[in-house]
Amino acid sequence: MFPRPIATRGPGARALYQIALPVALIIWLFPLLGVALTSVRPASDLAAGNYFGMPSSIAFSNYVDVFQNSPIGRYILNSFKVTIPTVIGTLVLSCMTGFALGVYRFRGNILIFFLFVAGNFVPFQILMIPVRDITVQMGLYNSTAGLALFHIAFQTGFCTLFMRNFIGALPRELIEAARVEGVAEWRIFWFIVLPLMRPAIAALSVLVFTFIWNDFFWATVLTTSASTQPVTAGLSSLNGQWIAAWHLVSAGSIIAALPPVAMFFLMQKHFIAGLTMGAVK
Amino acid sequence: MAMTSTELRSRSWWRSNQQWLTPWLFLTPGLIMFALYVVWPIFESFRISFYNWDGLGEKRWLGWGNYVELFGDRAFKTSLRNNVIWLLLYMLAVPIGLGLAIFLNQTVRGIRIYKSLFFFPFVISQVVVGLMFSWFYAPNFGLLYNLIEWVTGKGIAILADPTLATYGIIAAGLWPQIAYCMILYLTGLNNVAPDQIEAARLDGAKGLKMLWFVILPQLRPATFIAVVVTVIGALRSFDLVSIMTNGGPFGSSRVLSYYMYEQALSEYGYRMGYGAAIAVVLFLIMMVFISGFIWKMMRDERGDR
């Protein structure tokens, strides 16, 4: 193990480490703690200049205010309406492409694979104008469906990379044996490969959920009204309206951050497995 | 069950051809979506960049006109310069992430919670990160502002200062990026061969020497991915600029991705052709890196099989 385990060092070093951990964490999460504290600070505190001290009372009413006086409930709903179909659509498509590229050897395999990989790295701006045009022409501009369709297509690139590598690492004998038995190819996919892909599917669902929930660029390009905007774009426009109402901005930020945070803590193992794929050989 | 002869024939045709047909059938839906929304738009953007177009009316052919205009455009130069600053400073996320990972790679009680909490910033939307740092930097009551005032006697409103705004935004961007690099390195450190470390320890290697000669070579895959995601993150920076400064003050914190959006879609006017030209420049910059990455991945791929 690197560095040397702290347990093998003297008591002084151990005590120092135990103190350094929480101190470093508090410094690291300072902006977050500040915002969390501000979100429960009564407006009167801010008016009186009490920005850092303990709040004079815990004002959960800020959260109630945000829900009552802004369309944030609607924004959250829109975010789900974009995110969930994207997760499902992307997984369906990438299970199939990953299977095709991971199991079969055919001409163009590597070429198609690297097409998906390269597409991932492209800057969004080179896609922006044509994608907006396509969406307008399909009559899906300013709709959650239009946004989800684009996300499905784009995320398929990343997920194909992931799925193909995952399937490629499965034991080939399984598939060969089934073929010898005369099992149809689509049955091999459905009954043999798909059940083995559960960990990959779990990892990708949390990752794609977080990426899409947090997307801001495409939300601003493809949606414009409160009835369709996801929470990232919504929060940005609320920020424009709530000038200096930091207790509301903070409460709104915390609300917007909650779903992916919850997802992360519930599915931590899968999340990190997905994110660090390729970090070890 | 009785079958007609045509059914039988098509069955046997399928049976003898399914081996090569199946992958294509499985690829088709994904490929169609990807071609429509990712591949074709790249070519279309190249085409649009040669036109003068407001997004609705007739396109008017300009040839290299938009690119010639870019050459004399000071806002473009500022954006390009800021992109270079972003790229260089964003790279700090890699060593800092490694440092944090080494700091946290211990087995004391509760360390898993610490690791998750250190990773936290990456899970939050950049919009929220941007708002948090705006609050942190805010003049008069922002924490950092007050801290600087306390130390130097005079507060600095970072986001309102044309020379500092970009650096303030980059610092906000580094926060989640460091967390990402940290988690990559934590996973990497977890998989470093213990026998090699022990052997090196017996040879008297420790500290920085150990890190440089024994650990880092084994962390190479993690470093590769950390560099890739950091380069892409730096060139994709849009959310933070948009949330924290809107490119201001006086356009001093624009980056290419934001300037492109501003030209093509915001209230400054719908100059799709000019916007596309900016996007093409950004794409070409990214292509330099993408081809490097792909080249390396292809080489690894050949080595594997």
Side-chain angles (χ1 to χ4, degrees), chain A residues 1-7 17-18 20-22 24-25 28-32 34-35 38 51-52 93 96-97 99-102 104-107 110 112-135 138 146 149-150 152-154 156-157 161 164-165 168 179 183-186 189 210-211 214-217 220-221 232 235-236 239 246 249-250 253 256-257 260-261 264-265 268 271-272 275-281, chain B residues 18-19 22-27 29-31 33-34 36-42 44-46 48 53 55 100 102-109 111-112 114 116-128 131-136 138 141-143 146 175 178-180 183-184 187-189 191 194 197-198 201 207 210-211 215 221-222 225 228 232 236 238-239 242-243 257 260-261 264-265 270 272 275-276 279-280 282-283 286 290 293-294 297-298 300-301 305:
Chain A
M1 204 175 144
F2 182 85
R4 195 135 64 87
I6 202 87
Y17 188 68
Q18 291 290 3
L21 267 181
L25 182 68
W28 181 243
L29 292 183
F30 224 85
L32 179 70
V35 166
T38 308
Y51 289 104
F52 314 112
L93 290 184
M96 291 166 60
T97 50
F99 175 72
L101 295 173
Y104 299 88
R105 307 237 163 102
F106 56 92
R107 278 186 69 171
I110 288 277
I112 293 174
F113 176 62
F114 278 106
L115 180 74
F116 280 122
V117 177
N120 253 307
F121 297 148
V122 156
F124 293 149
Q125 283 69 25
I126 193 91
L127 311 179
M128 185 184 101
I129 295 168
V131 165
R132 187 171 168 277
D133 269 357
I134 297 169
T135 312
M138 290 196 295
L149 271 179
F150 169 77
I152 291 173
F154 192 82
T156 296
L161 162 69
R164 179 265 196 185
N165 286 351
R179 277 198 190 134
V183 180
E185 298 293 317
W186 71 269
F189 171 71
T210 314
F211 291 163
N214 290 340
D215 162 70
F216 173 67
F217 180 73
T220 44
V221 171
T232 44
L235 199 58
S236 158
N239 183 40
W246 280 99
V249 174
S250 308
S253 304
V261 167
F264 167 67
F265 277 104
Q268 211 182 122
F271 192 97
I272 290 175
L275 211 55
T276 56
M277 169 206 59
V280 286
K281 270 272 137 87
Chain B
Q18 66 164 339
Q19 273 284 342
T22 312
W24 291 105
L25 291 176
F26 273 83
L27 275 172
L31 269 182
M33 286 291 278
F34 203 71
L36 176 68
Y37 274 111
V38 182
V39 181
W40 175 77
I42 296 174
E44 180 67 5
S45 279
F46 269 86
I48 293 173
W53 187 38
L100 258 185
I102 291 173
F103 174 62
L104 289 174
N105 193 34
Q106 292 287 352
T107 45
V108 297
R109 260 184 59 166
I111 194 75
R112 283 193 44 199
Y114 277 107
S116 329
L117 287 174
F118 268 93
F119 181 62
F120 210 82
F122 182 75
V123 185
I124 312 171
S125 156
Q126 298 236 320
V127 173
V128 176
L131 290 174
M132 282 178 184
F133 273 79
S134 307
W135 173 87
F136 190 58
F141 65 88
L143 265 183
N146 276 277
W175 194 44
I178 289 170
Y180 193 176
I183 209 78
L184 288 169
T187 313
L189 282 172
N191 288 278
I197 299 181
E198 286 318 311
R201 264 198 194 127
M210 172 84 109
L211 178 66
I215 308 296
I225 296 188
V228 172
I232 294 172
R236 275 210 181 137
F238 171 90
D239 302 10
S242 168
I243 293 291
S257 60
M260 183 274 168
Y261 172 81
L265 278 187
Y270 283 64
M272 299 287 179
V280 165
L282 182 61
F283 177 77
M286 196 87 112
I290 299 177
F293 300 152
I294 297 274
M297 286 169 84
M298 278 204 165
D300 291 354
E301 191 76 18
R305 305 211 154 177

Side-chain angles (χ1 to χ4, degrees), chain B residues 199-219:
Chain B
R201 264 198 194 127
L202 289 179
D203 287 341
K206 55 181 180 193
L208 280 179
K209 253 194 176 152
M210 172 84 109
L211 178 66
W212 188 255
F213 291 107
V214 183
I215 308 296
L216 275 183
Q218 293 195 58
L219 290 178

Side-chain angles (χ1 to χ4, degrees), chain A:
Chain A
M1 204 175 144
F2 182 85
R4 195 135 64 87
I6 202 87
T8 65
R9 292 178 189 254
R14 260 179 291 165
L16 196 68
Y17 188 68
Q18 291 290 3
I19 296 168
L21 267 181
V23 171
L25 182 68
I26 288 173
I27 296 172
W28 181 243
L29 292 183
F30 224 85
L32 179 70
L33 296 173
V35 166
L37 210 60
T38 308
S39 76
V40 291
R41 198 181 280 285
S44 57
D45 273 23
L46 295 181
N50 175 12
Y51 289 104
F52 314 112
M54 272 294 142
S56 60
S57 64
I58 301 287
F60 285 114
S61 58
N62 290 341
Y63 286 85
V64 179
D65 256 19
V66 168
F67 271 102
Q68 276 175 350
N69 300 326
S70 82
I72 202 156
R74 178 76 216 197
Y75 291 143
I76 299 257
L77 179 73
N78 294 336
S79 274
F80 278 112
K81 277 164 75 179
V82 174
T83 309
I84 293 173
T86 303
V87 170
I88 297 172
T90 310
L91 284 171
V92 169
L93 290 184
S94 63
C95 278
M96 291 166 60
T97 50
F99 175 72
L101 295 173
V103 168
Y104 299 88
R105 307 237 163 102
F106 56 92
R107 278 186 69 171
N109 182 321
I110 288 277
L111 202 72
I112 293 174
F113 176 62
F114 278 106
L115 180 74
F116 280 122
V117 177
N120 253 307
F121 297 148
V122 156
F124 293 149
Q125 283 69 25
I126 193 91
L127 311 179
M128 185 184 101
I129 295 168
V131 165
R132 187 171 168 277
D133 269 357
I134 297 169
T135 312
V136 170
Q137 276 165 28
M138 290 196 295
L140 293 174
Y141 182 67
N142 195 21
S143 75
T144 48
L147 192 50
L149 271 179
F150 169 77
H151 281 315
I152 291 173
F154 192 82
Q155 295 299 324
T156 296
F158 167 71
C159 294
T160 299
L161 162 69
F162 190 100
M163 288 294 191
R164 179 265 196 185
N165 286 351
F166 189 88
I167 294 173
L170 294 176
R172 277 201 82 79
E173 298 79 46
L174 272 174
I175 294 158
E176 300 298 341
R179 277 198 190 134
V180 173
E181 297 282 322
V183 180
E185 298 293 317
W186 71 269
R187 282 172 165 271
I188 295 182
F189 171 71
W190 190 256
F191 292 108
I192 298 173
V193 174
L194 209 52
L196 293 172
M197 278 157 76
R198 258 183 231 140
I201 292 172
L204 285 181
S205 2
V206 255
L207 275 186
V208 173
F209 181 93
T210 314
F211 291 163
I212 302 307
W213 186 278
N214 290 340
D215 162 70
F216 173 67
F217 180 73
W218 291 104
T220 44
V221 171
L222 296 180
T223 61
T224 53
S225 63
S227 58
T228 52
Q229 274 180 330
V231 71
T232 44
L235 199 58
S236 158
S237 46
L238 287 180
N239 183 40
Q241 293 163 29
W242 289 336
I243 295 163
W246 280 99
H247 55 300
L248 297 183
V249 174
S250 308
S253 304
I254 301 273
I255 296 169
L258 273 183
V261 167
M263 196 69 151
F264 167 67
F265 277 104
L266 290 175
M267 310 268 289
Q268 211 182 122
K269 202 186 76 193
H270 293 299
F271 192 97
I272 290 175
L275 211 55
T276 56
M277 169 206 59
V280 286
K281 270 272 137 87

